[in-house]
Amino acid sequence: ITVLIRGGTYTLTKTVVFGLEDSGSEEQIITYAAYPGEKPIFTSGFKITGWKKLESEPEGLPVVARGKVWVADIPETKGGKWRFHCLFDVREPLDRKQLLPRARSKGFKPHQFRDFKGAGLYEKNGMTFATAEQKSILHFPRGALKNWPNLDDVEIIIYPRAPYTINILSLEWVDEDSCMARTTIPATYPMNPVERWYVDPIREKDAPLRKESAWVENVLEALDEPGEWVLNTHEGKLYLWPKKDEPGDGIFAPRLKELIRVEGRINVEDPEDVPVRYLVFRGLTFAHGDRDVWTKDDAGIQHDWEMYDKSTALVRFRGAEHCTVDSCRFINSGGTGVRFDLYSQYNCVKNSLFAYLGQSAVLVCGYGPGTKDVSHHNEVVNNHIHHCGEIYTCSHGIIVWQSGENRIAHNLIHDMPRKAILVAGVRAPHFNPETRNTRECSKLIRWNEIGGAREFDYIVPFLHVRNNVVEYNEAYRILEKGEDGAGINVTGCAEGNIVRRNYLHHIDNPMADAAIRLDGNGRGTLVAENIIYQCAIPGINFRDMNNYIENNIIVDVSSGRRKHQQGYLMFGREGTGRVQRNLLYQTGEKIGFLLNLEGSSLSQFKADYNLYYTASNPKVSSAFLHRLQKEGSDKHSISADPLFIDLEKQDFRLKPNSPLFKLGFKQINLKKIGLTEDFPW
């Protein structure tokens, strides 16, 4: 059955839900598709009307904004005050960025946490934990926060503890005298001062080290640039400094976070769910949803990068099997594009565009660790993903969490603040009963099913992130904000995951971690036949156990500023496995940090049959290899010109007489990587 939808804009006031009664079957698939040659657009954006130029300047409005700000009354909805967190200027084409920035204060550096009513830190199993009370208290520099009359409209944006996750938190109270504030829900980690790397928009090599890890949004005092806006729900007014002379008819605000939901019968406590089956969405455009706001009941996956089992996406599948998203656009919205929650089997997202989203592009999120394992065999294939994480800058392109047997292939991912692809489960330190109510991960563990599992060997059966294949993807200009992170990251996983035939290149942030990282609490991953080229960070960070690094090409990487983040290959203390038949090539002479052992020893790794070469001075790589062999490593490895066909044109194929072939190296064809020729541009 095919339902054809005519072109035009369809504005939704409530989420469209497809339930069990809307299922298709293997014999009768139901498809909702664009009428041939037409573009139906689904949106929750409503036009803001009644704009007037401010006649009198409200208190606190910056001098630079005076005479330039417009105001409109905001109507009430059935639920009361209409509070939204995104605003769009649709005078820009839909395939360009329409999301307008909220008014943002200057950054500030929080002060170190001081004990508040006995809410201190405590240690357990070598890790430091904080109470919810501590993670809700912020000590700020005098004048950075005020006790605004509409305090519930104001949000603080902060990198808590480290610059690899960002929180957007509302305020419960502000004490200007003591310079102390409390947020309505805890941050992910204590809101202490952090130093974070700031990558300049024009990529200046000497971008500064920033210490301003927090700022305030949605206050008139910060409305100081064209395009910025402030919503005051107490007054029922929206203030805007338009990019053009006036707002006109082009300013829209969202009513929904979620436009479409496909929902089966979810039985969280029982072993079986009943999914919706055989629905297809083809050729449709989804836009203008609101971003997520955290609540006290939320539970987060790793570092709270996404919330678990929650409506944060334009299109959400919650209990679905054999459903497909094909040739659709997810664009200009405050949240995620598509997510599959809990029960998810044999579903597919393909040939689609994800751009200018506030969070991630695609999330596949299974149940937390336990015996219930019903998320597997999904595909995210041949999608173009760029400029996601525009609001939650810790967001990734594609996330697979607690889900196995999935295939992530032929995606093109670029211009992202964080990772291209994350494959993750739950790390061992979270299996601590004393932290079972912590929002991040521990709250998601099915404690009644895991018994007394604590150490990694015992928790592996409950980590469902196994046998995933990440292949033929291309990523560049990623990891643009913050520190830490990798282009492709595998962590907290069971065995059998494969990362192969991917091309990662031109990653400029020298404070990120690696192009490919096998992070802690995982094992048995194969990293093979990948090409890593011109990155300011290490090629592969190898921290897990019993992993295999084989047949990869790594060229001109690791000019990072921090010594401990330099090295073509990085080996963590816990790392073990095999490193064979890899090509490590440097056009310059900076090969001294080719291997970074991070406290480990080469005896932990079976390193052999590799080729090391310094094109500008072959004596450097020869001496380096001699030192490795003297230490008992790389017995059969060589230092020789690998004979690329044309490295300057990024043709990484090797000539037939390359010495690498004698070591058993396999040719890697770059033309097979990335979007396929039939991608629907």
Side-chain angles (χ1 to χ4, degrees), residues 59-61 105-106 108 138 140-141 143-156 171-176 181 215-222 230 232 234:
E59 183 180 353
L61 186 70
S105 73
K106 292 182 179 179
F108 63 88
L138 171 68
F140 57 88
L145 270 68
K146 297 181 180 179
N147 188 21
W148 289 280
N150 62 326
L151 191 63
D152 55 333
D153 288 329
V154 180
E155 290 181 310
I156 180 171
L171 296 165
E172 184 176 306
W173 51 257
V174 174
D175 189 327
E176 297 182 46
W215 61 91
V216 172
E217 287 190 2
N218 202 41
V219 292
L220 278 174
E221 291 94 321
V230 171
N232 188 319
H234 291 225

Side-chain angles (χ1 to χ4, degrees), residues 479-588:
L479 302 168
E480 294 275 80
K481 295 184 179 180
E483 294 182 25
D484 195 66
I488 299 175
N489 200 120
V490 181
T491 182
C493 64
E495 296 179 345
N497 296 292
I498 298 173
V499 179
R500 67 185 176 199
R501 301 170 197 145
N502 301 284
Y503 182 33
L504 294 94
H505 59 101
H506 296 95
I507 303 173
D508 295 336
N509 183 354
M511 302 301 279
D513 188 78
I516 299 175
R517 180 172 67 179
L518 307 182
D519 210 345
N521 291 179
R523 66 184 181 192
T525 299
L526 170 66
V527 178
E529 302 179 50
N530 300 284
I531 300 173
I532 301 170
Y533 177 62
Q534 287 200 358
C535 298
I537 49 178
I540 302 174
N541 190 336
F542 183 23
R543 297 179 63 189
D544 290 347
M545 299 171 283
N546 302 324
N547 296 301
Y548 309 94
I549 313 299
E550 299 180 350
N551 213 100
N552 300 284
I553 295 176
I554 306 177
V555 178
D556 289 343
V557 303
S558 188
S559 58
R561 294 180 174 230
R562 296 192 297 184
K563 185 174 180 179
H564 77 277
Q565 285 187 316
Q566 294 178 336
Y568 274 44
L569 300 177
M570 293 180 64
F571 302 90
R573 293 189 187 93
E574 304 88 1
T576 58
R578 187 167 67 224
V579 182
Q580 295 185 354
R581 297 178 179 85
N582 299 285
L583 165 55
L584 283 67
Y585 184 100
Q586 176 65 265
T587 55

Side-chain angles (χ1 to χ4, degrees), residues 369-501:
T371 57
K372 189 172 184 177
D373 179 10
V374 293
S375 179
H376 50 76
H377 289 94
N378 302 289
E379 289 190 318
V380 183
V381 179
N382 210 41
N383 301 288
H384 187 189
I385 298 169
H386 66 89
H387 292 94
C388 298
E390 295 281 278
I391 297 176
Y392 279 101
T393 55
C394 55
S395 301
H396 311 328
I398 300 169
I399 298 177
V400 175
W401 189 84
Q402 277 293 107
S403 182
E405 309 279 352
N406 303 292
R407 183 172 182 252
I408 313 299
H410 288 291
N411 299 288
L412 173 60
I413 306 174
H414 61 90
D415 292 283
M416 294 286 298
R418 300 292 290 141
K419 301 168 186 174
I421 299 169
L422 171 69
V423 178
V426 176
R427 299 176 181 180
H430 290 287
F431 287 78
N432 177 0
E434 294 187 27
T435 65
R436 63 192 303 164
N437 292 319
T438 302
R439 182 175 62 231
E440 181 197 353
C441 290
S442 294
K443 197 173 181 179
L444 306 175
I445 295 172
R446 299 169 71 86
W447 294 95
N448 61 319
E449 297 175 6
I450 66 169
R454 299 289 180 272
E455 301 301 324
F456 184 72
D457 286 345
Y458 296 98
I459 69 175
V460 168
F462 309 114
L463 300 177
H464 308 318
V465 55
R466 56 172 60 86
N467 300 325
N468 292 288
V469 178
V470 179
E471 61 183 358
Y472 297 110
N473 302 285
E474 179 181 0
Y476 62 91
R477 287 203 305 266
I478 56 174
L479 302 168
E480 294 275 80
K481 295 184 179 180
E483 294 182 25
D484 195 66
I488 299 175
N489 200 120
V490 181
T491 182
C493 64
E495 296 179 345
N497 296 292
I498 298 173
V499 179
R500 67 185 176 199
R501 301 170 197 145

Side-chain angles (χ1 to χ4, degrees), residues 48 77-78 107 164 169 184 223 227 275 320 444 456 468 493 561 604:
I48 304 297
T77 64
K78 291 181 180 180
Y164 46 70
L169 306 170
T184 56
L223 185 57
L444 306 175
F456 184 72
N468 292 288
C493 64
R561 294 180 174 230
Q604 295 173 228

